[in-house]
């Protein structure tokens, strides 16, 4: 009896050994496969049939977009890359009451009409007629209508707070003399992940700006940083925008701007580059009227992210793009660009808008 029970225990022991061995062998097969690092690659994209949704052709791309090594891509970027949609972008347009007619109406007739729900116009006066007539999101910031540093920073501060409130993935700012090419914007943003630290735009200088930063001891210290010029537009990922909060949210933007006594776009650069140590990703796809817009090759105009116009009085500074609108009918060239991008859309809504061949 005793011998038999020893035999059974031995058998059990051997069986459990064999089972454990088998389990050990099977372990690698049972383990769920490691999730591939899915990040987009900037160039290899295609436009999907559902308008303005971009996917990477392969969902297994392993490399983040080409960027400077120190651009601070955060580790949270290891998510499955979802297609980016217009709904994910918060577009802020800065304007002032006196430009509602002369500048804003052209934007509403053109690109804003294609992204009405995602676009927020930040102004400094009421305009119920325009709001009712067009259905745009018009936000009266109650900031001063003056073209001062303080007034501009006041508007940017409201733009920032509204973006944070919106829960959208990307914050893009443009001026009221910018044409925003929505397909190119989506294509560019979909190269990145909104949880990464991304600050995209074009500097107006060819060197970092040097500012005097007020420090606690009432002294001044020199600080250098790049900033994207607001007149060409810029974009910030939600991940980075959230990190800006201590210096940008709930009126803090205005006190941060006071520390360096520079305008709104410089203050954005100061917070991102100097305080958060995240680099501006310089992109040549954004354009202000500080550059010579006539130099842009006509065949590349529709690939840009923003355009602008300037200098009607003396030397006209607009993009060279041929279309059915003459320079008299379309001095900014925005209508021409719009009809090249959307030949049908406006024709359906307003049969006479885009001239027929
Ligand atoms: N702007 C403003 N308040 C003003 C004047 C201008 O908010 O009193 C806005 C204007 O609507 C535009 C931006 O500031 O979005 C830049 O203005 P503008 O194009 O006239 O100047 P620049 O591009 O030469 O700086
Ligand atoms: Mn301007």
């Amino acid at each position: 009896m005793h011998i038999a029970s020893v035999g059974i225990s031995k058998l059990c022991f051997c069986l459990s050994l064999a089972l454990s061995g088998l389990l050990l062998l099977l372990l690698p097969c049972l383990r769920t496969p490691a999730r591939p690092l899915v990040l987009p690659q900037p160039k290899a994209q295609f436009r999907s049939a559902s308008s303005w949704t971009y996917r990477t052709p392969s969902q297994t791309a392993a490399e983040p977009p080409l960027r400077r090594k120190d651009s601070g891509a955060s580790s949270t970027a290891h998510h499955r890359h979802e297609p980016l949609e217009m709904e994910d972008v918060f577009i802020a347009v800065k304007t002032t009451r006196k430009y509602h007619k002369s500048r804003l109406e052209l934007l509403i007739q053109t690109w804003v009409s294609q992204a009405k729900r995602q676009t927020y116009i930040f102004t400094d006066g009421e305009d119920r007629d325009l709001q009712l007539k067009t259905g745009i999101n018009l936000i009266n910031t109650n900031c001063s209508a003056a073209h001062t540093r303080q007034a501009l920073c006041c508007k940017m501060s409201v733009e920032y707070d509204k973006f944070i409130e919106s829960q959208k993935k990307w914050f893009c700012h443009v001026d009221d003399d910018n044409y925003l090419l929505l397909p190119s914007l989506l294509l560019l943003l979909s190269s990145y992940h909104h949880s990464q630290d991304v600050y995209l735009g074009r500097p107006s200088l060819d060197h970092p700006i040097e500012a005097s930063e007020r420090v606690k001891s009432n002294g001044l210290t020199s600080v250098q940083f790049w900033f994207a010029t607001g007149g060409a537009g810029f974009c910030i990922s939600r991940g980075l925008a959230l990190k800006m909060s201590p210096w940008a949210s709930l009126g803090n933007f205005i006190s941060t701007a006071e520390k360096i006594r520079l305008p709104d776009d410089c203050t954005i650069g100061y917070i991102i580059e100097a305080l958060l140590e995240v680099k501006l990703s310089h992109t040549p796809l954004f354009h202000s009227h500080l550059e010579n817009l006539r130099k842009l090759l006509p065949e590349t105009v529709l690939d840009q992210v923003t355009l602008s116009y300037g200098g009607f009085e003396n030397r006209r500074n607009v993009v060279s793009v041929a279309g059915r609108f003459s320079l008299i009918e379309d001095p900014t060239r925005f209508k021409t660009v719009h009809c090249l991008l959307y030949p049908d859309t406006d024709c359906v809504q307003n049969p006479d808008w885009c001239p027929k061949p």
Side-chain angles (χ1 to χ4, degrees):
M1 181 79 175
H2 176 71
I3 291 166
S5 77
V6 167
I8 288 171
S9 344
K10 258 193 181 167
L11 189 70
C12 285
F13 177 70
C14 289
L15 266 173
S16 60
L17 258 184
L19 252 172
S20 326
L22 195 71
L23 263 176
L24 267 176
L25 278 173
L26 281 173
L27 250 178
C29 315
L30 294 175
R31 203 184 296 148
T32 46
R35 236 184 195 202
L37 172 62
V38 183
L39 278 175
Q41 287 183 316
K43 298 269 182 244
Q45 291 172 324
F46 66 91
R47 200 179 293 185
S48 86
S50 66
S51 65
W52 300 354
T53 300
Y54 295 94
R55 293 165 206 275
T56 45
S58 140
Q59 289 282 304
T60 55
E63 287 297 315
L66 293 174
R67 57 178 59 229
R68 283 151 64 171
K69 209 176 157 200
D70 48 1
S71 70
S74 84
S75 57
T76 49
H78 297 200
H79 295 303
R80 188 158 289 280
H81 189 64
E82 305 129 19
L84 191 69
E85 310 209 347
M86 233 13 262
E87 289 293 329
D88 300 324
V89 189
F90 180 99
I91 306 167
V93 181
K94 178 173 71 182
T95 191
T96 183
R97 186 64 183 81
K98 71 170 182 222
Y99 291 149
H100 284 193
K101 251 218 128 36
S102 57
R103 295 189 182 190
L104 193 58
E105 285 198 358
L106 174 64
L107 305 196
I108 298 170
Q109 279 176 17
T110 58
W111 69 264
V112 172
S113 68
Q114 300 292 324
K116 220 179 247 177
R117 270 176 301 124
Q118 300 79 27
T119 306
Y120 297 80
I121 317 279
F122 293 85
T123 188
D124 42 37
E126 294 296 325
D127 196 342
R128 294 235 182 277
D129 283 353
L130 186 67
Q131 208 163 4
L132 282 174
K133 196 172 78 189
T134 62
I136 50 158
N137 302 310
L138 195 68
I139 296 174
N140 183 359
T141 58
N142 289 314
C143 298
S144 150
H147 197 37
T148 60
R149 179 167 55 81
Q150 287 88 349
L152 298 178
C153 288
C154 172
K155 271 181 201 158
M156 184 60 76
S157 163
V158 182
E159 287 183 28
Y160 175 86
D161 288 338
K162 290 282 176 199
F163 164 66
I164 295 295
E165 205 181 290
S166 77
Q167 301 299 327
K168 293 199 187 284
K169 294 177 179 169
W170 291 92
F171 169 69
C172 294
H173 162 99
V174 291
D175 276 358
D176 58 8
D177 50 2
N178 285 134
Y179 186 100
L180 182 60
L181 292 99
L182 302 162
S184 316
L185 175 73
L186 271 194
L187 192 59
L188 173 70
L189 297 184
S190 58
S191 307
Y192 301 87
H193 197 277
H194 63 91
S195 66
Q196 291 177 301
D197 295 337
V198 187
Y199 174 32
L200 291 163
R202 171 197 281 261
S204 51
L205 312 169
D206 59 3
H207 55 85
I209 191 168
E210 189 166 344
S212 295
E213 180 186 25
R214 278 193 220 185
V215 285
K216 278 209 182 89
S217 53
N218 272 336
L220 287 176
T221 174
S222 171
V223 58
Q224 284 195 357
F225 55 90
W226 287 96
F227 72 95
T229 184
F234 57 82
C235 295
I236 299 171
S237 61
R238 182 161 201 90
L240 179 56
L242 289 172
K243 291 184 184 170
M244 295 167 67
S245 171
W247 302 280
S249 68
L250 309 170
N252 284 310
F253 190 85
I254 296 164
S255 37
T256 305
E258 278 312 303
K259 274 172 85 178
I260 48 166
R261 281 175 291 179
L262 287 174
D264 50 349
D265 49 359
C266 302
T267 305
I268 293 275
Y270 168 66
I271 297 173
I272 296 177
E273 281 230 338
L275 301 176
L276 290 169
E277 297 181 4
V278 171
K279 298 287 177 202
L280 166 69
S281 295
H282 299 223
T283 143
L285 298 171
F286 293 76
H287 300 278
S288 79
H289 51 76
L290 291 176
E291 66 189 275
N292 185 349
L293 293 160
R294 283 169 301 184
K295 280 195 176 162
L296 251 180
L297 293 175
E299 63 271 26
T300 68
V301 168
L302 298 186
D303 298 329
Q304 307 306 312
V305 172
T306 63
L307 303 170
S308 190
Y309 61 86
F312 291 126
E313 308 77 31
N314 33 54
R315 276 165 67 87
R316 188 190 295 273
N317 185 17
V318 294
V319 290
S320 331
V321 63
R324 281 167 240 289
F325 286 112
S326 70
L327 267 173
I328 308 277
E329 293 163 321
D330 180 29
T332 67
R333 310 314 285 150
F334 282 9
K335 288 183 178 185
T336 305
V337 167
H338 190 72
C339 283
L340 288 171
L341 276 179
Y342 309 98
D344 305 325
T345 320
D346 278 313
C347 297
V348 175
Q349 290 161 5
N350 177 359
D352 301 324
W353 211 86
C354 287
K356 299 247 164 42

